[in-house]
C-alpha cells in the first residue's frame, strides 16, 4: 500500500506546484500567500509518503484530498484534478491493502510449507 499511496502523493506534489503557478496569475491573491499555502501542501505530500502506513496516515491523506478539491474555489481546474486524485487515492488505499493481504497470505503459505519438509541429507 505504501508504494501506491506514495506514488499518488508525489503526483499531487507536482500538481499542487503547478496549481500555485496558475493561482499566482490571480491579482487578488498575494504571491506570498499562494506559495505559503502551496508549499505547506507540497511538504505535507512528501511527509505523508513516510507516514502513510502509520495510524492516522490514511486519514491525513483523505484530508489532503479534501483540501485539494476545495482548492478549486481558487483555481477552478482543481475541482476536476482534486476529484481525479481523490479517486486515485481511494484506488491506492483499496488495492494497496489487497496487495498487502495477498503478500501476507503468500508469506504465510511459504513459511508453513517450508517448515513441514525436512532437508535432504547429502
Amino acid at each position: 500500500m505504501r508504494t501506491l499511496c506514495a506514488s499518488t502523493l508525489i503526483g499531487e506534489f507536482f500538481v499542487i506546484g503547478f496549481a500555485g503557478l496558475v493561482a499566482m496569475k490571480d491579482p487578488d491573491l498575494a504571491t506570498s500567500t499562494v506559495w505559503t499555502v502551496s508549499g505547506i501542501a507540497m511538504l505535507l505530500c512528501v511527509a505523508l509518503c513516510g507516514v502513510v502506513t502509520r495510524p492516522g496516515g490514511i486519514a491525513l491523506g483523505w484530508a489532503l484530498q479534501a483540501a485539494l478539491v476545495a482548492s478549486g474555489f481558487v483555481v477552478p481546474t482543481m475541482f476536476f484534478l482534486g476529484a481525479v486524485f481523490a479517486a486515485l487515492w481511494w484506488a491506492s488505499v483499496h488495492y494497496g491493502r489487497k496487495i498487502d493481504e495477498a503478500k501476507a497470505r503468500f508469506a504465510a503459505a511459504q513459511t508453513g510449507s517450508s517448515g513441514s519438509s525436512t532437508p535432504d541429507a547429502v
Side-chain angles (χ1 to χ4, degrees), residues 3 21-22 24 27 52 54 61 65 95 98 116:
T3 303
L21 291 172
V22 172
M24 278 184 26
V52 74
R54 295 197 178 156
Q65 303 314 311
Y95 292 112
K98 286 188 175 205
S116 62

Side-chain angles (χ1 to χ4, degrees), residues 63-75:
L64 180 66
Q65 303 314 311
L68 198 62
V69 172
S71 70
F73 289 109
V74 178
V75 179

